[in-house]
Amino acid sequence: MKNEQTNNKKLVIANWKLHKTTAGVKKWLDQFLAEYQPADAIKIAISPSFPHVAAVRAYKTLDPKGLELAAQDVSRFKHASAHTGEVSAVQLADLGVKYVIIGHSERRRDFGETNENINEKIARCLENGLQPVVCVRNLTEADALIPIPNTQPLTIAYEPLEAIGSGQPASPAETQKMALAIKGILGENTRVLYGGSADSSNVTNYTNLDGVNGVLVGSASLDSMGFSKLVKAVSNY
Ligand code: PGA
């Protein structure tokens, strides 16, 4: 039986980071969904800030086009514990979130996230049926992930630091080499995304690579029309 990790659909995640207010979220969704046609080749997830998860979910419920929801982080602590300001995996699952971005380099850098924290967050996701999308800058960070059961393959986003938000994406050859090396460490059924200055003009250089299963898109996901163009390029419609 084909599972999500072994089928050929490319996963494209829009990571809005700390952008957008309620009105901006609505405008983006209105514009994007007016253009978007689901295609066999692609799966899309939108990753808003926590306060907007429910708003995106409401659109998703209204619109049957199959957009998925991703969160930008999750608490490493268990649900219903005393941790002010945290959001639990149980709460995300309850809101219809499917993917959770974990260990983004901005969180490692600005919030002191350690490999241990990241492994705890992966565990919280897997306990609650959420799919972790773990960001790694290099193979050392991939190596630090605790092996998980084969039945729950990981999604890894390979995001070299110098490529993030710089307009200087990694070369496709280097990306492919890293994607294959990550699968070598974590298992062949690991899904590997590329992230770092991917946009509508360069995205297929990555999504067409053997061994690369999609993209994590920051800056180029903020504008609905630009993201729409990127999605069309990947879906080839
Ligand atoms: P970027 O961000 O597309 O703006 O480089 C990617 C990321 O940080 O995930």
Side-chain angles (χ1 to χ4, degrees), residues 15 17 104 106 159 163-165 195-198 216-219:
N15 176 12
K17 305 190 181 181
H104 193 283
E106 290 149 11
E159 299 209 315
I164 299 175
S197 301
L216 178 54
V217 185
S219 321

Side-chain angles (χ1 to χ4, degrees), residues 25-45:
V25 169
K26 181 177 179 327
K27 188 169 163 214
W28 192 101
L29 289 167
D30 282 344
Q31 291 177 337
F32 180 75
L33 289 170
E35 291 282 314
Y36 174 55
Q37 298 166 30
D40 277 350
I42 189 168
K43 247 186 324 209
I44 301 191

Side-chain angles (χ1 to χ4, degrees), residues 1 10-11 33 39 56 111 121 152 167 180 185 187 229:
M1 198 179 79
K10 301 294 178 181
L11 175 61
L33 289 170
V56 177
F111 299 89
K121 290 180 177 192
Q152 293 179 296
L180 297 176
I185 293 171
K229 220 169 134 191

Side-chain angles (χ1 to χ4, degrees), residues 122-236:
I122 294 171
R124 295 296 86 73
C125 284
L126 297 178
E127 287 158 11
N128 290 286
L130 298 166
Q131 293 190 29
V133 177
V134 186
C135 301
V136 303
R137 295 172 285 197
N138 49 48
L139 296 180
T140 311
E141 289 176 354
D143 232 356
L145 302 176
I146 291 174
I148 59 167
N150 223 5
T151 47
Q152 293 179 296
L154 276 180
T155 299
I156 300 294
Y158 166 58
E159 299 209 315
L161 196 53
E162 57 285 1
I164 299 175
S166 63
Q168 314 254 290
S171 75
E174 177 65 12
T175 301
Q176 185 167 44
K177 198 175 96 193
M178 290 297 288
L180 297 176
I182 288 167
K183 287 175 202 250
I185 293 171
L186 295 168
E188 279 312 304
N189 55 355
T190 305
R191 175 161 52 188
V192 180
L193 314 183
Y194 168 72
S197 301
D199 63 22
S200 60
S201 70
N202 63 29
V203 68
T204 53
N205 296 343
Y206 303 97
T207 52
N208 286 341
L209 291 172
D210 249 1
V212 173
N213 307 97
V215 276
L216 178 54
V217 185
S219 321
S221 74
L222 295 176
D223 171 63
S224 58
M225 290 299 109
F227 188 67
S228 198
K229 220 169 134 191
L230 182 151
V231 165
K232 282 179 191 169
V234 178
S235 324
N236 203 12

